[in-house]
Coordinates of all heavy atoms in Angstrom, one line a residue:
M3 N 4.5 -10.8 5.2 CA 3.7 -10.3 4.0 C 2.8 -11.4 3.6 O 3.2 -12.5 3.5 CB 4.7 -9.9 2.9 CG 4.1 -9.4 1.7 SD 3.5 -7.7 2.0 CE 2.2 -7.6 0.9
A4 N 1.6 -11.0 3.3 CA 0.6 -11.9 2.8 C 1.1 -12.5 1.5 O 1.8 -11.8 0.7 CB -0.7 -11.2 2.6
S5 N 0.9 -13.8 1.3 CA 1.4 -14.4 0.1 C 0.5 -14.1 -1.1 O 0.9 -14.4 -2.2 CB 1.7 -15.9 0.3 OG 0.7 -16.5 1.1
L6 N -0.7 -13.6 -0.9 CA -1.6 -13.3 -2.0 C -1.8 -11.8 -2.0 O -2.0 -11.1 -0.9 CB -2.9 -14.0 -1.9 CG -2.9 -15.5 -2.0 CD1 -4.3 -16.1 -1.8 CD2 -2.4 -15.9 -3.4
V7 N -1.7 -11.2 -3.2 CA -1.9 -9.7 -3.3 C -3.1 -9.5 -4.2 O -3.2 -10.1 -5.3 CB -0.6 -9.1 -4.0 CG1 -0.8 -7.7 -4.3 CG2 0.6 -9.3 -3.1
P8 N -4.0 -8.6 -3.7 CA -5.2 -8.3 -4.5 C -4.9 -7.3 -5.7 O -4.8 -6.1 -5.4 CB -6.2 -7.8 -3.5 CG -5.3 -7.1 -2.5 CD -4.0 -7.9 -2.5
C9 N -4.9 -7.8 -6.9 CA -4.8 -6.9 -8.1 C -6.2 -6.5 -8.4 O -7.1 -7.4 -8.6 CB -4.1 -7.7 -9.2 SG -4.0 -6.7 -10.7
P10 N -6.4 -5.2 -8.7 CA -7.8 -4.8 -9.0 C -8.2 -5.3 -10.4 O -9.4 -5.3 -10.7 CB -7.7 -3.3 -9.1 CG -6.2 -2.9 -9.1 CD -5.5 -4.1 -8.5
H11 N -7.3 -5.8 -11.2 CA -7.6 -6.4 -12.5 C -7.7 -7.9 -12.6 O -8.5 -8.5 -13.3 CB -6.7 -5.9 -13.6 CG -6.5 -4.4 -13.6 ND1 -7.5 -3.6 -14.1 CD2 -5.6 -3.6 -13.1 CE1 -7.1 -2.3 -13.9 NE2 -6.0 -2.3 -13.3
C12 N -6.8 -8.5 -11.8 CA -6.7 -10.0 -11.9 C -7.2 -10.7 -10.6 O -7.2 -12.0 -10.6 CB -5.2 -10.3 -12.0 SG -4.4 -9.5 -13.4
G13 N -7.5 -10.0 -9.6 CA -7.9 -10.7 -8.3 C -6.7 -11.1 -7.5 O -5.6 -10.5 -7.6
Q14 N -6.9 -12.0 -6.6 CA -5.8 -12.5 -5.7 C -4.8 -13.2 -6.5 O -5.1 -14.2 -7.1 CB -6.4 -13.4 -4.6 CG -7.5 -12.7 -3.7 CD -6.8 -11.8 -2.7 OE1 -5.6 -11.8 -2.4 NE2 -7.7 -11.0 -2.1
R15 N -3.5 -12.7 -6.4 CA -2.4 -13.3 -7.1 C -1.2 -13.5 -6.2 O -1.1 -12.8 -5.2 CB -2.0 -12.4 -8.3 CG -3.1 -12.1 -9.3 CD -3.7 -13.3 -9.9 NE -2.7 -14.2 -10.6 CZ -2.8 -15.4 -10.9 NH1 -4.0 -16.0 -10.7 NH2 -1.9 -16.1 -11.5
P16 N -0.3 -14.5 -6.4 CA 0.8 -14.7 -5.6 C 1.7 -13.5 -5.6 O 1.9 -12.9 -6.7 CB 1.5 -15.9 -6.2 CG 0.5 -16.6 -7.1 CD -0.4 -15.5 -7.5
K17 N 2.3 -13.1 -4.5 CA 3.2 -11.9 -4.4 C 4.4 -12.0 -5.3 O 4.9 -11.0 -5.7 CB 3.6 -11.7 -3.0 CG 4.6 -12.7 -2.4 CD 5.0 -12.4 -1.0 CE 6.0 -13.4 -0.5 NZ 6.4 -13.3 0.8
E18 N 4.8 -13.2 -5.7 CA 6.0 -13.4 -6.6 C 5.7 -12.9 -8.0 O 6.7 -12.7 -8.7 CB 6.4 -14.9 -6.6 CG 6.9 -15.4 -5.3 CD 5.9 -15.8 -4.3 OE1 4.7 -15.8 -4.6 OE2 6.3 -16.1 -3.1
E19 N 4.5 -12.6 -8.3 CA 4.2 -12.1 -9.7 C 4.4 -10.6 -9.7 O 4.3 -10.0 -10.8 CB 2.7 -12.4 -10.0 CG 2.4 -13.8 -10.3 CD 1.0 -14.1 -10.7 OE1 0.2 -13.1 -10.9 OE2 0.7 -15.2 -11.0
F20 N 4.7 -9.9 -8.6 CA 4.8 -8.5 -8.5 C 6.2 -8.0 -8.3 O 7.0 -8.7 -7.7 CB 3.9 -8.0 -7.4 CG 2.4 -8.2 -7.6 CD1 1.8 -9.4 -7.3 CD2 1.6 -7.2 -8.1 CE1 0.5 -9.6 -7.5 CE2 0.2 -7.4 -8.2 CZ -0.3 -8.6 -7.9
T21 N 6.4 -6.7 -8.7 CA 7.7 -6.0 -8.4 C 7.3 -4.8 -7.6 O 6.4 -4.0 -8.1 CB 8.4 -5.6 -9.7 OG1 8.6 -6.8 -10.5 CG2 9.7 -4.9 -9.4
I22 N 8.0 -4.6 -6.5 CA 7.7 -3.4 -5.7 C 8.6 -2.2 -6.0 O 9.8 -2.4 -6.1 CB 7.8 -3.8 -4.2 CG1 7.0 -5.0 -3.8 CG2 7.5 -2.6 -3.3 CD1 7.3 -5.6 -2.5
K23 N 8.0 -1.1 -6.3 CA 8.8 0.1 -6.6 C 9.1 0.9 -5.4 O 10.2 1.3 -5.2 CB 8.1 1.0 -7.6 CG 8.9 2.3 -7.9 CD 8.1 3.3 -8.6 CE 8.9 4.6 -8.7 NZ 8.1 5.8 -8.7
G24 N 8.1 1.1 -4.5 CA 8.4 1.8 -3.3 C 7.2 2.7 -2.9 O 6.1 2.5 -3.4
A25 N 7.5 3.7 -2.1 CA 6.4 4.5 -1.5 C 5.7 5.3 -2.6 O 6.3 5.8 -3.6 CB 7.0 5.5 -0.6
A26 N 4.4 5.3 -2.5 CA 3.5 6.0 -3.4 C 3.3 7.4 -2.9 O 2.3 7.8 -2.3 CB 2.2 5.3 -3.6
L27 N 4.3 8.3 -3.2 CA 4.3 9.7 -2.7 C 3.8 10.6 -3.8 O 3.9 10.3 -5.0 CB 5.7 10.1 -2.4 CG 6.5 9.2 -1.3 CD1 7.9 9.7 -1.2 CD2 5.8 9.3 0.0
T28 N 3.2 11.7 -3.4 CA 2.8 12.7 -4.3 C 4.0 13.5 -4.8 O 4.7 14.0 -4.1 CB 1.8 13.6 -3.7 OG1 0.7 12.8 -3.2 CG2 1.2 14.6 -4.7
R29 N 4.1 13.5 -6.2 CA 5.3 14.2 -6.8 C 5.1 15.7 -6.7 O 4.0 16.2 -6.9 CB 5.3 13.7 -8.2 CG 6.5 14.2 -9.0 CD 6.4 13.6 -10.4 NE 7.5 14.1 -11.3 CZ 8.6 13.5 -11.5 NH1 8.8 12.3 -11.0 NH2 9.5 14.0 -12.3
P30 N 6.2 16.4 -6.3 CA 6.1 17.9 -6.3 C 5.8 18.5 -7.7 O 6.1 17.8 -8.7 CB 7.5 18.3 -5.8 CG 8.1 17.1 -5.2 CD 7.5 16.0 -5.9
T31 N 5.3 19.6 -7.7 CA 5.0 20.3 -9.0 C 6.3 20.7 -9.7 O 7.3 20.8 -9.0 CB 4.1 21.5 -8.8 OG1 4.8 22.4 -8.0 CG2 2.8 21.2 -8.2
A32 N 6.3 20.9 -10.9 CA 7.5 21.3 -11.7 C 8.1 22.5 -11.1 O 9.4 22.6 -11.2 CB 7.1 21.5 -13.2
G33 N 7.4 23.4 -10.6 CA 7.9 24.7 -10.1 C 8.3 24.6 -8.6 O 8.7 25.7 -8.0
A34 N 8.2 23.5 -8.0 CA 8.5 23.3 -6.6 C 10.0 23.7 -6.3 O 10.8 23.5 -7.2 CB 8.2 21.9 -6.1
D35 N 10.3 24.1 -5.1 CA 11.7 24.5 -4.8 C 12.5 23.2 -4.5 O 12.0 22.1 -4.4 CB 11.8 25.5 -3.7 CG 11.2 25.0 -2.3 OD1 11.3 23.8 -2.1 OD2 10.8 25.8 -1.5
A36 N 13.8 23.4 -4.4 CA 14.8 22.3 -4.3 C 14.5 21.5 -3.0 O 14.7 20.3 -3.1 CB 16.2 22.9 -4.4
S37 N 14.1 22.1 -2.0 CA 13.9 21.4 -0.7 C 12.8 20.4 -0.9 O 12.8 19.3 -0.3 CB 13.7 22.3 0.5 OG 12.5 23.0 0.4
D38 N 11.7 20.8 -1.6 CA 10.6 19.9 -1.8 C 11.1 18.7 -2.6 O 10.7 17.5 -2.4 CB 9.5 20.6 -2.5 CG 8.8 21.6 -1.7 OD1 8.8 21.5 -0.4 OD2 8.1 22.5 -2.2
W39 N 11.9 18.9 -3.7 CA 12.4 17.8 -4.5 C 13.4 16.9 -3.7 O 13.4 15.7 -3.8 CB 13.1 18.3 -5.7 CG 12.1 18.7 -6.8 CD1 11.6 19.9 -7.1 CD2 11.3 17.8 -7.6 NE1 10.7 19.8 -8.1 CE2 10.5 18.5 -8.4 CE3 11.3 16.4 -7.7 CZ2 9.6 17.9 -9.3 CZ3 10.5 15.8 -8.6 CH2 9.6 16.6 -9.4
F40 N 14.2 17.6 -2.8 CA 15.1 16.8 -2.0 C 14.3 15.8 -1.1 O 14.6 14.6 -1.0 CB 16.0 17.7 -1.1 CG 17.0 17.0 -0.3 CD1 18.2 16.6 -0.8 CD2 16.7 16.6 1.0 CE1 19.1 16.0 0.0 CE2 17.6 15.9 1.8 CZ 18.8 15.6 1.3
D41 N 13.3 16.4 -0.5 CA 12.4 15.5 0.4 C 11.8 14.4 -0.4 O 11.8 13.2 0.1 CB 11.3 16.4 1.0 CG 11.9 17.3 2.1 OD1 13.1 17.3 2.4 OD2 11.1 18.2 2.5
Y42 N 11.3 14.7 -1.6 CA 10.6 13.7 -2.4 C 11.6 12.6 -2.8 O 11.3 11.4 -2.8 CB 10.0 14.3 -3.6 CG 9.4 13.4 -4.6 CD1 8.2 12.8 -4.4 CD2 10.1 13.1 -5.8 CE1 7.7 11.9 -5.3 CE2 9.6 12.2 -6.7 CZ 8.3 11.6 -6.5 OH 7.8 10.7 -7.4
V43 N 12.8 12.9 -3.2 CA 13.8 12.0 -3.7 C 14.5 11.2 -2.6 O 14.7 10.0 -2.8 CB 14.8 12.7 -4.7 CG1 15.9 11.7 -5.1 CG2 14.1 13.3 -5.9
Y44 N 14.9 11.9 -1.6 CA 15.8 11.2 -0.6 C 15.2 10.9 0.8 O 15.7 10.0 1.4 CB 17.0 12.1 -0.4 CG 17.8 12.3 -1.6 CD1 17.9 13.5 -2.3 CD2 18.6 11.2 -2.1 CE1 18.6 13.7 -3.4 CE2 19.3 11.4 -3.2 CZ 19.4 12.6 -3.9 OH 20.1 12.8 -5.0
L45 N 14.1 11.5 1.2 CA 13.6 11.3 2.5 C 12.4 10.5 2.5 O 11.5 10.7 1.7 CB 13.3 12.7 3.2 CG 14.5 13.6 3.3 CD1 14.1 14.9 4.0 CD2 15.7 13.0 4.0
R46 N 12.3 9.5 3.4 CA 11.2 8.6 3.5 C 10.8 8.5 5.0 O 11.6 8.4 5.9 CB 11.5 7.2 3.0 CG 11.7 7.2 1.5 CD 10.5 7.4 0.7 NE 10.7 7.3 -0.7 CZ 11.0 8.3 -1.5 NH1 11.2 9.5 -1.0 NH2 11.2 8.2 -2.8
D47 N 9.5 8.5 5.2 CA 9.0 8.2 6.5 C 9.1 6.7 6.7 O 9.1 5.9 5.7 CB 7.6 8.7 6.7 CG 7.4 10.2 6.7 OD1 8.4 10.8 7.2 OD2 6.4 10.7 6.3
N48 N 9.1 6.2 7.9 CA 9.0 4.8 8.2 C 7.9 4.6 9.1 O 8.1 4.3 10.3 CB 10.4 4.3 8.8 CG 10.4 2.8 8.9 OD1 9.7 2.1 8.2 ND2 11.4 2.3 9.7
P49 N 6.7 4.7 8.6 CA 5.5 4.8 9.5 C 5.1 3.4 10.0 O 5.4 2.4 9.4 CB 4.4 5.3 8.6 CG 4.7 4.8 7.3 CD 6.3 4.9 7.2
R50 N 4.5 3.4 11.2 CA 3.9 2.2 11.7 C 2.4 2.2 11.4 O 1.7 3.1 11.9 CB 4.2 2.2 13.3 CG 3.7 1.0 14.0 CD 4.1 1.1 15.5 NE 3.5 0.0 16.2 CZ 4.2 -1.1 16.4 NH1 5.4 -1.3 16.0 NH2 3.6 -2.1 17.1
G51 N 2.0 1.3 10.6 CA 0.6 1.3 10.2 C 0.4 1.3 8.7 O 1.3 0.8 8.0
A52 N -0.7 1.8 8.2 CA -1.0 1.8 6.8 C 0.0 2.7 6.0 O 0.4 3.8 6.4 CB -2.4 2.3 6.6
Y53 N 0.5 2.1 4.9 CA 1.5 2.8 4.0 C 1.2 2.4 2.6 O 1.1 1.2 2.3 CB 2.9 2.4 4.5 CG 4.0 3.2 4.0 CD1 4.1 4.6 4.3 CD2 5.0 2.8 3.1 CE1 5.1 5.4 3.9 CE2 6.0 3.6 2.7 CZ 6.1 4.9 3.1 OH 7.1 5.7 2.6
A54 N 1.2 3.4 1.7 CA 0.9 3.1 0.3 C 2.2 2.9 -0.5 O 3.1 3.7 -0.4 CB 0.0 4.3 -0.3
E55 N 2.2 1.9 -1.4 CA 3.4 1.6 -2.2 C 2.9 1.3 -3.6 O 1.8 0.8 -3.8 CB 4.1 0.4 -1.6 CG 4.6 0.5 -0.2 CD 5.0 -0.8 0.3 OE1 4.4 -1.8 0.1 OE2 6.1 -0.8 1.0
Y56 N 3.8 1.6 -4.6 CA 3.6 1.2 -5.9 C 4.1 -0.2 -6.1 O 5.2 -0.6 -5.7 CB 4.4 2.1 -6.9 CG 3.8 3.5 -7.1 CD1 4.5 4.6 -6.6 CD2 2.7 3.6 -7.9 CE1 3.9 5.9 -6.9 CE2 2.1 4.9 -8.1 CZ 2.8 6.0 -7.6 OH 2.2 7.2 -7.8
W57 N 3.2 -1.0 -6.7 CA 3.5 -2.4 -7.1 C 3.2 -2.6 -8.6 O 2.2 -2.0 -9.0 CB 2.7 -3.4 -6.3 CG 3.0 -3.5 -4.8 CD1 3.1 -2.5 -3.9 CD2 3.3 -4.7 -4.1 NE1 3.5 -3.0 -2.7 CE2 3.6 -4.4 -2.8 CE3 3.3 -6.1 -4.5 CZ2 3.9 -5.4 -1.8 CZ3 3.6 -7.0 -3.5 CH2 3.9 -6.7 -2.2
H58 N 4.1 -3.3 -9.3 CA 3.9 -3.6 -10.7 C 3.5 -5.1 -10.8 O 4.3 -5.9 -10.4 CB 5.1 -3.3 -11.5 CG 5.0 -3.4 -13.0 ND1 5.6 -4.4 -13.7 CD2 4.2 -2.7 -13.8 CE1 5.2 -4.3 -14.9 NE2 4.4 -3.3 -15.1
H59 N 2.4 -5.3 -11.5 CA 2.0 -6.7 -11.7 C 2.8 -7.3 -12.9 O 2.2 -7.5 -14.0 CB 0.5 -6.9 -11.9 CG 0.1 -8.3 -11.6 ND1 -1.3 -8.6 -11.7 CD2 0.7 -9.4 -11.4 CE1 -1.4 -9.9 -11.5 NE2 -0.2 -10.4 -11.3
T60 N 4.1 -7.5 -12.7 CA 5.0 -7.9 -13.7 C 4.6 -9.2 -14.5 O 4.7 -9.2 -15.7 CB 6.4 -8.0 -13.1 OG1 6.7 -6.9 -12.3 CG2 7.5 -8.2 -14.2
S61 N 4.2 -10.2 -13.8 CA 3.9 -11.5 -14.4 C 2.4 -11.6 -14.6 O 1.9 -12.8 -14.7 CB 4.4 -12.6 -13.5 OG 5.8 -12.5 -13.5
G62 N 1.7 -10.5 -14.6 CA 0.2 -10.6 -14.8 C -0.2 -9.6 -15.8 O 0.2 -9.6 -16.9
C63 N -1.1 -8.7 -15.4 CA -1.6 -7.7 -16.3 C -0.7 -6.6 -16.7 O -1.0 -5.8 -17.5 CB -2.9 -7.1 -15.7 SG -2.6 -6.2 -14.1
R64 N 0.5 -6.5 -16.0 CA 1.5 -5.5 -16.2 C 1.0 -4.1 -15.9 O 1.5 -3.1 -16.5 CB 2.1 -5.6 -17.7 CG 2.6 -7.0 -17.9 CD 3.5 -7.1 -19.2 NE 4.6 -6.2 -19.2 CZ 5.8 -6.5 -18.5 NH1 5.9 -7.6 -17.9 NH2 6.8 -5.7 -18.6
R65 N 0.1 -3.9 -15.0 CA -0.4 -2.6 -14.6 C 0.3 -2.3 -13.3 O 0.7 -3.1 -12.5 CB -1.9 -2.7 -14.4 CG -2.7 -3.0 -15.6 CD -2.9 -1.8 -16.6 NE -3.4 -0.7 -15.9 CZ -3.6 0.5 -16.4 NH1 -3.2 0.7 -17.6 NH2 -4.1 1.5 -15.7
W66 N 0.4 -0.9 -13.1 CA 0.9 -0.4 -11.8 C -0.3 -0.3 -10.9 O -1.3 0.2 -11.3 CB 1.6 0.9 -12.0 CG 3.0 0.8 -12.5 CD1 3.3 1.0 -13.8 CD2 4.2 0.5 -11.8 NE1 4.7 0.8 -14.0 CE2 5.2 0.5 -12.7 CE3 4.4 0.2 -10.5 CZ2 6.5 0.2 -12.4 CZ3 5.7 -0.1 -10.1 CH2 6.8 -0.1 -11.1
I67 N -0.1 -0.8 -9.7 CA -1.2 -0.6 -8.7 C -0.6 0.1 -7.4 O 0.6 0.1 -7.2 CB -1.9 -1.9 -8.3 CG1 -0.9 -2.9 -7.6 CG2 -2.4 -2.6 -9.5 CD1 -1.5 -4.1 -7.0
I68 N -1.5 0.7 -6.7 CA -1.1 1.3 -5.4 C -1.7 0.4 -4.4 O -2.9 0.2 -4.3 CB -1.6 2.7 -5.2 CG1 -0.9 3.6 -6.3 CG2 -1.3 3.3 -3.8 CD1 -1.4 5.1 -6.3
L69 N -0.8 -0.2 -3.6 CA -1.2 -1.2 -2.6 C -1.0 -0.5 -1.2 O 0.2 -0.1 -1.0 CB -0.4 -2.5 -2.7 CG -0.8 -3.6 -1.8 CD1 -2.0 -4.3 -2.6 CD2 0.3 -4.6 -1.6
T70 N -2.0 -0.4 -0.4 CA -1.8 0.1 0.9 C -1.8 -1.1 1.9 O -2.8 -1.9 1.9 CB -3.0 1.1 1.3 OG1 -3.0 2.1 0.3 CG2 -2.8 1.7 2.6
R71 N -0.7 -1.2 2.6 CA -0.7 -2.3 3.6 C -0.2 -1.8 4.9 O 0.4 -0.8 5.0 CB 0.3 -3.4 3.0 CG 1.7 -3.0 3.0 CD 2.6 -4.1 2.4 NE 4.0 -3.6 2.3 CZ 4.9 -3.7 3.4 NH1 4.5 -4.2 4.5 NH2 6.1 -3.2 3.2
D72 N -0.5 -2.6 5.9 CA -0.1 -2.3 7.3 C 1.3 -2.8 7.5 O 1.6 -3.9 7.2 CB -1.0 -3.0 8.3 CG -0.8 -2.5 9.7 OD1 0.3 -2.6 10.2 OD2 -1.8 -2.0 10.3
T73 N 2.2 -1.9 7.9 CA 3.6 -2.2 8.0 C 3.9 -3.1 9.2 O 5.0 -3.7 9.3 CB 4.5 -1.0 8.1 OG1 4.1 -0.2 9.2 CG2 4.4 -0.1 6.8
V74 N 3.0 -3.2 10.1 CA 3.1 -4.1 11.3 C 2.6 -5.5 11.0 O 3.3 -6.5 11.3 CB 2.4 -3.5 12.5 CG1 2.6 -4.4 13.7 CG2 3.0 -2.1 12.8
T75 N 1.4 -5.6 10.5 CA 0.8 -6.9 10.3 C 0.9 -7.4 8.9 O 0.6 -8.5 8.6 CB -0.7 -6.8 10.7 OG1 -1.4 -5.9 9.7 CG2 -0.9 -6.3 12.1
H76 N 1.3 -6.5 7.9 CA 1.4 -6.8 6.5 C 0.0 -7.1 5.9 O -0.1 -7.6 4.8 CB 2.3 -8.0 6.2 CG 3.7 -7.7 6.7 ND1 4.5 -6.7 6.2 CD2 4.5 -8.3 7.7 CE1 5.7 -6.7 6.8 NE2 5.7 -7.6 7.8
E77 N -1.0 -6.7 6.6 CA -2.4 -6.9 6.1 C -2.6 -5.9 4.9 O -2.3 -4.7 5.1 CB -3.4 -6.7 7.2 CG -4.9 -6.7 6.7 CD -5.9 -6.3 7.7 OE1 -5.4 -6.0 8.9 OE2 -7.0 -6.3 7.4
V78 N -3.1 -6.3 3.8 CA -3.4 -5.4 2.7 C -4.7 -4.6 3.1 O -5.8 -5.2 3.3 CB -3.6 -6.1 1.4 CG1 -4.0 -5.2 0.3 CG2 -2.2 -6.8 1.1
V79 N -4.6 -3.3 3.1 CA -5.8 -2.4 3.5 C -6.6 -2.0 2.2 O -7.8 -2.0 2.2 CB -5.3 -1.2 4.2 CG1 -6.4 -0.3 4.6 CG2 -4.5 -1.6 5.5
A80 N -5.9 -1.8 1.1 CA -6.5 -1.3 -0.1 C -5.6 -1.6 -1.3 O -4.4 -1.7 -1.2 CB -6.9 0.2 0.0
S81 N -6.2 -1.7 -2.5 CA -5.5 -1.9 -3.7 C -6.3 -1.3 -4.8 O -7.5 -1.5 -5.0 CB -5.4 -3.4 -3.9 OG -4.8 -3.7 -5.2
H82 N -5.6 -0.4 -5.6 CA -6.3 0.2 -6.7 C -5.3 0.5 -7.8 O -4.1 0.6 -7.6 CB -7.2 1.4 -6.3 CG -6.4 2.5 -5.8 ND1 -6.0 2.6 -4.4 CD2 -5.8 3.6 -6.4 CE1 -5.3 3.7 -4.2 NE2 -5.2 4.3 -5.4
D83 N -5.8 0.7 -9.0 CA -4.9 1.0 -10.2 C -4.3 2.4 -10.0 O -4.9 3.4 -9.6 CB -5.8 1.0 -11.5 CG -4.9 1.0 -12.7 OD1 -4.4 2.1 -13.0 OD2 -4.8 -0.1 -13.3
A84 N -3.0 2.4 -10.3 CA -2.2 3.7 -10.1 C -2.7 4.7 -11.1 O -2.6 5.9 -10.8 CB -0.7 3.5 -10.3
G85 N -3.2 4.3 -12.2 CA -3.7 5.3 -13.2 C -4.9 6.0 -12.7 O -5.1 7.2 -13.1
D86 N -5.7 5.4 -11.8 CA -6.9 6.1 -11.2 C -6.4 7.3 -10.4 O -7.0 8.4 -10.4 CB -7.7 5.2 -10.3 CG -8.3 4.1 -11.1 OD1 -8.4 4.2 -12.3 OD2 -8.7 3.1 -10.4
R87 N -5.3 7.2 -9.7 CA -4.7 8.3 -8.9 C -4.2 9.4 -9.8 O -4.4 10.5 -9.6 CB -3.6 7.8 -8.0 CG -2.9 8.9 -7.2 CD -1.9 8.3 -6.3 NE -1.0 9.3 -5.7 CZ -0.1 9.1 -4.8 NH1 0.1 7.9 -4.4 NH2 0.6 10.0 -4.3
S88 N -3.5 9.0 -10.9 CA -2.9 9.9 -11.8 C -4.0 10.8 -12.4 O -3.9 12.0 -12.6 CB -2.1 9.2 -12.9 OG -1.1 8.6 -12.3
R89 N -5.1 10.1 -12.8 CA -6.2 10.8 -13.5 C -6.9 11.8 -12.5 O -7.3 12.9 -12.8 CB -7.2 9.8 -14.0 CG -6.8 9.2 -15.3 CD -7.9 8.3 -15.9 NE -8.0 7.1 -15.3 CZ -7.3 6.0 -15.5 NH1 -6.3 6.1 -16.4 NH2 -7.4 4.9 -14.9
S90 N -7.1 11.3 -11.2 CA -7.7 12.2 -10.2 C -6.8 13.4 -9.9 O -7.3 14.5 -9.7 CB -8.1 11.4 -9.0 OG -7.0 11.0 -8.3
E91 N -5.5 13.2 -9.9 CA -4.6 14.3 -9.6 C -4.6 15.3 -10.8 O -4.4 16.5 -10.6 CB -3.2 13.9 -9.3 CG -3.1 13.2 -7.9 CD -1.7 12.7 -7.6 OE1 -0.8 12.9 -8.4 OE2 -1.6 12.2 -6.4
A92 N -4.7 14.8 -12.0 CA -4.7 15.6 -13.2 C -5.9 16.6 -13.2 O -5.8 17.7 -13.8 CB -4.6 14.8 -14.4
R93 N -7.0 16.2 -12.6 CA -8.2 17.0 -12.6 C -8.1 18.1 -11.6 O -8.9 19.1 -11.7 CB -9.4 16.1 -12.3 CG -9.8 15.3 -13.4 CD -11.1 14.6 -13.1 NE -11.0 13.2 -13.6 CZ -11.1 12.1 -12.8 NH1 -11.4 12.2 -11.6 NH2 -10.9 10.9 -13.3
K94 N -7.2 18.1 -10.7 CA -7.1 19.1 -9.7 C -6.6 20.4 -10.2 O -5.8 20.5 -11.2 CB -6.1 18.7 -8.5 CG -6.8 17.6 -7.7 CD -5.8 17.2 -6.6 CE -6.4 16.0 -5.8 NZ -5.5 15.5 -4.8
Ligands
ZN29 ZN1 -3.0 -7.7 -12.5

């Protein structure tokens, strides 16, 4: 894993400043059936390549970011504020 993580608010920061929550999956709708919720809560892919995860900049700006990194090389592919995703999903 790269020792520097690009925070969209703070720039390049040491990875020790962050807390990783896990996969940035799209949450099922409130009316989704039980199998969709089971998949969301318990099942995870283990992809080779780019994978999006929630990271919290705990010792920095305290914002949640979605970090996309390559699971093979640990190269960071993209980083953006998690609130941007929430706002764009709310408009759908
Ligand atoms: Zn930050």
Side-chain angles (χ1 to χ4, degrees):
M3 180 76 209
S5 37
L6 293 177
V7 174
C9 174
H11 305 286
C12 306
Q14 298 284 345
R15 304 298 307 163
K17 69 178 180 187
E18 291 79 10
E19 291 185 359
F20 294 82
T21 304
I22 306 170
K23 178 192 173 215
L27 304 174
T28 301
R29 188 179 174 95
T31 61
D35 63 28
S37 67
D38 290 338
W39 280 103
F40 182 87
D41 290 353
Y42 174 74
V43 174
Y44 295 109
L45 301 181
R46 293 289 182 270
D47 292 330
N48 190 16
R50 184 178 173 89
Y53 197 61
E55 301 169 317
Y56 283 111
W57 288 53
H58 184 251
H59 197 178
T60 309
S61 298
C63 61
R64 304 193 58 80
R65 297 283 303 175
W66 283 98
I67 65 173
I68 296 176
L69 190 82
T70 304
R71 66 180 179 88
D72 190 301
T73 58
V74 177
T75 64
H76 301 294
E77 176 188 359
V78 175
V79 178
S81 171
H82 61 274
D83 191 284
D86 295 342
R87 177 176 169 175
S88 298
R89 283 186 284 277
S90 67
E91 288 180 359
R93 285 187 223 121
K94 290 181 183 174

